[in-house]
Structures are given as C-alpha cells and as structure tokens.
Amino acid sequence: QVQLVESGGGLVHPGGSLRLSCAASGLIGEAMGWYRQAPGKQREFVASITSAGSANYADSVKVRFTISRDNAKNTVYLQMNSLKPEDTAVYLCAAYTRGGTFWGQGTQDTVTS
C-alpha cells in the first residue's frame, strides 16, 4: 500500500530556510501535495505538483516556497525560504491516487526567535 514519510522539519529563526522531503512508496508518478496544520487551526493547503511537474501554491506561500519532485526517487520536496512565525505548523505530505488520498505522519516546522 501507499506509504509517505516526511523529513526535514526543525527549528529555524524568522527569515531562515528549511527543505522538507516526502519519500513515497507504492506510487507511480501520482500528483502530490503539501499541507500544514498549526495548533488550534484547520489543516490548510500549501502546494501541489502534478506528475509532469506543474505546481500550484497557496497565496500565503507564493514566491517564498517551491515544490518539486524527483519521479525516479518517488520523492517530493518543499523548499521553504523567508520563513515567518506564522509558518509554524506540522507539515504533511499527501498523494492523490485512484484509490484515494494518502497522508504522511507529518514533520514539525517551528519558526521562532
């Protein structure tokens, strides 16, 4: 079955950068996405990427974040630059498949001074 494992989260100061990775198994070039959920808030869309590499972003992260993928490795990335405290959240990877949407366990991103 599909499994997604996120990594790369951590503690960073405002203005810093993080790169998140999502290693997938049981997939063949499916569309992928990143979501985030902050304490006390609803899960929100961050970015998505098609099997061909076309990307979409939430307005709040445009320019600052970049989603990419390596289909040979079945891995999707989220490069996060110019991080702000409001970016603090658990970031989750999603895979959109014919059998439904699958989620990773999430990785914590904390932006604080």
Side-chain angles (χ1 to χ4, degrees):
Q1 190 59 282
V2 174
Q3 290 189 330
L4 307 173
V5 180
E6 301 98 331
S7 62
L11 180 66
V12 66
H13 292 163
S17 298
L18 288 170
R19 190 175 83 142
L20 307 183
S21 298
C22 175
S25 61
L27 301 176
I28 307 175
E30 306 286 358
M32 306 283 290
W34 285 99
Y35 294 74
R36 66 187 182 186
Q37 187 166 23
K41 295 185 178 181
Q42 197 168 17
R43 184 176 297 177
E44 65 175 340
F45 169 80
V46 175
S48 65
I49 187 166
T50 69
S51 60
S54 296
N56 288 309
Y57 300 93
D59 287 342
S60 60
V61 305
K62 283 181 178 178
V63 180
R64 298 189 299 121
F65 290 12
T66 302
I67 189 171
S68 61
R69 68 186 300 156
D70 185 335
N71 287 334
K73 297 180 179 179
N74 268 350
T75 301
V76 65
Y77 306 93
L78 185 68
Q79 178 67 46
M80 306 187 294
N81 299 323
S82 302
L83 284 163
K84 307 173 181 179
E86 53 262 44
D87 295 318
T88 295
V90 173
Y91 284 73
L92 302 108
C93 181
Y96 315 108
T97 77
R98 183 179 298 176
T101 302
F102 295 85
W103 298 89
Q105 295 299 116
T107 185
Q108 178 70 49
D109 167 26
T110 301
V111 185
T112 181
S113 60

